[in-house]
Amino acid sequence: MDIKKIYMDSDALLEGHFKLSSGNHSKYYLQSAKVLEDPKTAKLLADALAKQIKESGLQVDTVCAPALGGLIAGFALATALDVRSIFAERVNGEMSIRRGFEVKEGERVLMCEDIITTGGSAMEAAAVVKSLGGEIVGVAALANRGFCRRQYSEIATKPNCKLPQDIPFFALEDFTFEMYAQDECPMCKSGSEAIKPGSRGN
Ligand code: ZN
């Protein structure tokens, strides 16, 4: 399955000249929610991710996603794995599990995001699951920005990766992009002007 093509076809992976929120410039921009706009595509991707997880032999009782980004991916993955789906959400800046969701002592929980950058939100939500007695057995995401090493990829973990190294991380594809400081951007040097993604209303 050509994951990058699916993202491109869904306008979830844009090619051009972008100014990122960090201020850096890039030739690519990921708007990962867009790939889940079509439920058939969401199902296709979640099924592929679930297949990878099942084949690894990992036992999962529940998928937990940090809101908002992970919600749809988490639900789709839980459907594909035929397990329970819960989510964590930020309240006054603190990640918490509400809405009557319970986590049993020793429950095997797989954290799920649409995309993992450093994994910070996933790990904040995982800390809440653990405080309730759950066991974090792995992390899953549709896409990986390439800071954390996923299963079946040779891209090494970078120092800013927050995922623990003793549990598996599953993702369908690495999306590693060159980023440039504005004064070193080759696209700026060739006279093109960077677009700020989200300037069309995000
Ligand atoms: Zn530029």
Side-chain angles (χ1 to χ4, degrees), residues 17-18 25-26 182 185-189 192-194:
H17 179 194
F18 302 100
H25 289 199
S26 172
Q182 186 167 347
C185 173
M187 292 165 286
C188 283
K189 280 178 183 163
S192 118
E193 198 176 325

Side-chain angles (χ1 to χ4, degrees), residues 1 8 14 18 20 22 26 32 40 54 57 60 76 90 104 113 118 139 141 169 172-173 177 179 190-192 198:
M1 200 192 299
M8 283 272 190
L14 305 177
F18 302 100
L20 308 177
S22 62
S26 172
S32 55
K40 287 191 289 296
K54 282 179 191 163
V60 176
R90 226 176 263 288
K104 292 193 189 71
E113 276 274 24
T118 62
V139 177
F169 166 40
L172 294 173
E173 183 64 89
F177 310 138
M179 282 179 280
S190 70
S192 118

Side-chain angles (χ1 to χ4, degrees), residues 36 63-76 86-87 112-115:
L36 302 169
V63 170
C64 179
L68 274 167
L71 281 184
I72 299 171
F75 182 79
I86 63 173
F87 60 86
C112 180
E113 276 274 24
D114 55 348
I115 180 162

